[in-house]
Amino acid sequence: MTDTQHTHAVDHPSFGRVDPNRVIVFDTTLRDGEQSPGFSMNLEEKLRMAEALEDLGVDVMEAGFAIASPGDFASVKAISEKIQGAVVCSLARSARADIDAAGEALKSARRKRIHTFIATSPLHMKYKLQMEPDAVLAAVTASVTHARNYADDVEWSAEDGSRSEADFLCRCVEAAIKAGATTINIPDTVGYAVPDEFAAIFTMLRERVPGAEKVIFSAHCHNDLGLAVANTLAAVKAGVRQIECTVNGIGERAGNAALEELAMALRTRADAMPYASGIATQNITRTSRLLATITGFDVQPNKAIVGRNAFAHEAGIHQDGMLKHAGTYEIMTPESVGLAKSSLVLGKHSGRAAFRDKLKQLGYGDIGDNALNDAFQRFKKLADVKKVVFDEDVVALVDDEVVRAHDAVRFVSLEVWAGSKGPQRAILELDVDGETKQAEAVGDGPVDATFKAIRMLFPHEAELKLYSVGAVTEGTDAQAKVTVRLEEAGKLVDGQGADTDTLVASARAYLHALNKLLVKRARTAPAAMSA
């Protein structure tokens, strides 16, 4: 039986009559993505990312796990108040307290969904939940029924669904549908499945479970074997009409199915997969870069769609073909994902109006006056140092300024003495919770001295695990882009900083990581949280 033979329109409380060829994009960057080792976002960063996701055209955004911490609750609540178009969702275990917290946090949402889950595989039920199958089945009914008291739109997930026994999975899905679930999600929680067997799970459920025709099926795939996108697309061909994904593929362990790869696969191969999404693909690159700046974690150069080499051609044969016809080696255009070639922009004589106009062109249409003024001042300083200023330079300095706007510890100034004679020392000024503090430190090199000065001004026990320097553009006057990774009590965070002075960029990167660590200190995840 083919997909087109048994797929039809479904009525859904959030989307009305759903076209059978329309794929709903459920983005979990703000929840599952933020669980990645080293990743975390404060409230302001989550709000900015939520707005970017809405501009990108996601249908549902999972804003967080409301009961996980006061910070997560506040994030879900604030995003619920801010977002007008997309459905805002909160994750909840099957416990009543989880569902109550989700319902309360989502109270102001214009369109809301509660996403509740419980594990259904023998392994998880026996060792993690320590529950008998009948108790799990009862919890499915109870949790969905309770969630319907808060929202008409309820999603139920079978954690570790790809390793669950078929008969029991059918019973759980049937119970969830009878209790009022409107979306049924089968996650490949540990990235174990391969495409044909994952697709077969959905075919089986849709053929065997009473009421399956009344709900939307969803796929949530992890990338442990590098098959998350392939498994998700196989599920779509088997009748799934919601795909769960994250920007840049971030997520626990090896990550989740990448939103940008799924969106462009559906767009580029409409001949093989005639399904449409609502993603504004021209916003993909901007959203990817924003997330990288916020999380302090760049995508690898050869990452599909958004890696810096994704549209680069070096081999002579490839270059020759490209010169003759772009289609010889490019199956999609850089412009289709919002990637433009580096272009010369403003100079040191450019005014504030021209700068604001350039920011709008680059997708920064909603920056507040204070953030704009700070970014403009940094731009003027940059223009004095650099002979030419490119779009990438503007993006780097604006992201660096705007993303740091609400940090508890902020960079003020740095003086460094370096060279072969030594000793290398640094005088550093920081703003710590509104108070300016200064320290002088000596170190084994200027970077070490700078980082020691930070520890003097803001004592902490975090260990430096990574220090990496790159360049935003080419040339000796290019802005340095520094990445710093810190670890404290098993929690990893990555920070980034940009400046034409590598040492200043280093200080900014360290402070970015330190501020992210402060956010993580207050967050403790509930047990059995992954889905």
Side-chain angles (χ1 to χ4, degrees):
M1 184 180 292
T2 65
D3 175 34
T4 53
Q5 288 176 316
H6 68 182
T7 299
H8 55 273
V10 174
D11 289 316
H12 194 277
S14 285
F15 302 105
R17 194 76 168 159
V18 180
D19 185 329
N21 290 327
R22 174 69 157 83
V23 174
I24 294 167
V25 176
F26 177 110
D27 180 89
T28 184
T29 302
L30 297 172
R31 199 277 301 173
D32 199 326
E34 204 207 8
Q35 291 174 206
S36 306
F39 291 27
S40 63
M41 306 179 210
N42 61 31
L43 177 58
E44 290 75 18
E45 290 168 344
K46 279 195 169 186
L47 282 171
R48 189 172 176 212
M49 197 66 215
E51 291 177 311
L53 291 171
E54 184 158 53
D55 290 342
L56 186 59
V58 305
D59 299 293
V60 185
M61 65 176 73
E62 194 164 48
F65 195 178
I67 204 169
S69 70
D72 268 62
F73 183 94
S75 295
V76 175
K77 185 175 185 293
I79 291 170
S80 297
E81 294 167 351
K82 185 81 170 179
I83 297 302
Q84 297 298 310
V87 176
V88 180
C89 174
S90 176
L91 187 68
R93 294 167 301 182
S94 58
R96 289 179 68 89
D98 282 48
I99 295 166
D100 291 339
E104 183 65 27
L106 291 167
K107 188 178 290 185
S108 300
R110 184 169 172 267
R111 302 165 69 200
K112 58 189 170 186
R113 173 184 296 186
I114 292 178
H115 177 194
T116 184
F117 73 95
I118 193 169
T120 56
S121 70
L123 190 66
H124 278 230
M125 288 190 291
K126 180 178 180 179
Y127 293 104
K128 188 181 72 172
L129 298 180
Q130 297 181 337
M131 292 172 66
E132 293 297 320
D134 286 347
V136 170
L137 189 62
V140 172
T141 297
S143 60
V144 174
T145 300
H146 190 50
R148 282 298 301 258
N149 292 327
Y150 290 102
D152 293 332
D153 186 355
V154 173
E155 176 173 340
W156 177 78
S157 287
E159 185 181 8
D160 206 25
S162 59
R163 296 193 296 175
S164 298
E165 294 176 343
D167 289 346
F168 184 66
L169 186 61
C170 285
R171 291 172 64 199
C172 288
V173 170
E174 182 179 359
I177 294 173
K178 284 183 177 179
T182 50
T183 299
I184 299 295
N185 178 46
I186 308 300
D188 183 27
T189 302
V190 294
Y192 181 75
V194 295
D196 58 346
E197 68 181 16
F198 192 58
I201 293 172
F202 292 100
T203 300
M204 179 268 296
L205 291 173
R206 296 178 66 203
E207 291 176 347
R208 289 182 53 182
V209 176
E213 72 283 354
K214 299 176 184 177
V215 299
I216 289 174
F217 280 90
S218 177
H220 178 116
C221 296
H222 280 263
N223 205 39
D224 298 69
L225 293 176
L227 295 171
V229 169
N231 284 336
T232 303
L233 293 175
V236 170
K237 295 187 78 172
V240 160
R241 288 299 176 266
Q242 177 177 282
I243 54 177
E244 305 200 1
C245 47
T246 60
V247 176
N248 294 346
I250 68 172
E252 293 209 63
R253 303 181 312 280
N256 289 43
L259 181 152
E260 60 277 1
E261 294 177 28
L262 290 168
M264 292 309 294
L266 292 174
R267 171 173 167 160
T268 305
R269 291 307 310 276
D271 57 326
M273 298 174 288
Y275 318 112
S277 78
I279 296 298
T281 63
Q282 70 274 12
N283 291 339
I284 283 176
T285 297
R286 177 165 60 90
T287 310
S288 167
R289 288 176 176 175
L290 173 62
L291 180 65
T293 300
I294 287 175
T295 60
F297 199 91
D298 279 334
V299 298
Q300 69 267 31
N302 63 329
K303 168 74 170 65
I305 314 301
V306 293
R308 68 172 180 264
N309 292 348
F311 294 93
H313 304 272
E314 185 168 334
I317 295 173
H318 287 213
Q319 291 177 342
D320 180 63
M322 284 292 295
L323 291 172
K324 292 173 179 174
H325 192 286
T328 53
Y329 286 102
E330 282 189 353
I331 59 173
M332 52 197 160
T333 66
E335 291 78 13
S336 68
V337 297
L339 182 65
K341 290 185 176 179
S342 184
S343 58
L344 184 64
V345 291
L346 311 171
K348 64 181 181 180
H349 299 297
S350 300
R352 196 180 308 270
F355 182 68
R356 185 189 289 272
D357 184 64
K358 171 52 68 176
L359 294 185
K360 288 182 179 178
Q361 293 176 33
L362 294 173
Y364 298 94
D366 202 21
I367 293 181
D369 287 339
N370 290 338
L372 175 69
N373 290 337
D374 290 342
F376 181 68
Q377 292 304 317
R378 286 195 64 194
F379 161 74
K380 295 293 277 187
K381 291 178 182 176
L382 179 65
D384 280 336
V385 174
K386 291 198 67 174
K387 294 179 181 178
V388 291
V389 179
F390 295 96
D391 286 355
E392 292 90 340
D393 292 311
V394 176
V395 169
L397 71 88
V398 173
D399 280 346
D400 192 66
E401 188 65 45
V402 174
V403 167
R404 316 292 178 260
H406 300 278
D407 284 349
V409 186
R410 301 189 67 192
F411 176 85
V412 177
S413 69
L414 174 67
E415 289 183 79
V416 175
W417 285 261
S420 60
K421 292 184 178 181
Q424 292 81 29
R425 62 190 176 99
I427 298 177
L428 177 69
E429 269 192 294
L430 298 180
D431 182 310
V432 181
D433 291 325
E435 181 183 352
T436 301
K437 298 182 177 182
Q438 185 181 94
E440 180 175 343
V442 175
D444 184 14
V447 174
D448 185 49
T450 300
F451 290 176
K452 283 182 176 177
I454 294 175
R455 286 181 177 273
M456 292 171 65
L457 293 173
F458 195 90
H460 57 279
E461 299 300 320
E463 293 184 33
L464 180 66
K465 292 295 183 180
L466 172 72
Y467 174 75
S468 174
V469 181
V472 175
T473 55
E474 297 178 354
T476 56
D477 62 350
Q479 289 190 91
K481 189 173 187 179
V482 175
T483 300
V484 164
R485 176 173 296 166
L486 300 178
E487 181 181 13
E488 181 186 73
K491 295 178 179 179
L492 288 169
V493 289
D494 282 25
Q496 286 186 338
D499 198 275
T500 51
D501 188 312
T502 304
L503 297 174
V504 172
S506 300
R508 289 180 176 275
Y510 194 106
L511 293 173
H512 183 207
L514 189 57
N515 280 289
K516 295 173 78 61
L517 191 60
L518 298 181
V519 174
K520 276 212 167 184
R521 280 179 180 175
R523 183 172 298 143
T524 47
M529 175 168 142
S530 59

